[in-house]
Amino acid sequence: AKASERFEQMDVNKDGYLDRSDREARSAQRRAECFGKADADKNGQLARAELPKDHKLTAHFDMLDTDKNGTLSASEFAKGNSM
């Protein structure tokens, strides 16, 4: 039963197969969950102070902040997490 439950969870597009699209969709879900947890004030942007000092993106914050507004959007965060 646990294996079938795990398969159902992993088969994001519910086509009965596990493939690249399922992996990519699951990765996007995990990035969104991580962003949501880090976004302490829930404003849809991550300030540098919201990232733990040891987070892998902290060192690259300025590079990832492509619009130079001092925060990371969900898409900027996702690009950084795919590095």
Side-chain angles (χ1 to χ4, degrees), residues 10-52:
M10 293 171 63
D11 185 19
V12 177
N13 62 8
K14 305 302 180 205
D15 65 356
Y17 299 95
L18 297 179
D19 56 24
R20 180 181 301 208
S21 65
D22 293 306
R23 286 191 305 272
E24 290 170 354
R26 185 64 186 130
S27 290
Q29 286 175 342
R30 283 193 298 265
R31 282 191 299 273
E33 290 167 5
C34 185
F35 182 86
K37 287 178 186 176
D39 185 14
D41 61 8
K42 305 301 180 205
N43 70 348
Q45 301 286 318
L46 287 181
R48 185 184 305 269
E50 289 177 298
L51 287 174

Side-chain angles (χ1 to χ4, degrees), residues 49-70:
E50 289 177 298
L51 287 174
K53 293 194 186 315
D54 61 345
H55 193 284
K56 72 177 189 173
L57 298 184
T58 302
H60 307 287
F61 190 94
D62 292 329
M63 179 184 71
L64 294 170
D65 181 17
T66 56
D67 61 6
K68 304 302 179 203
N69 67 350

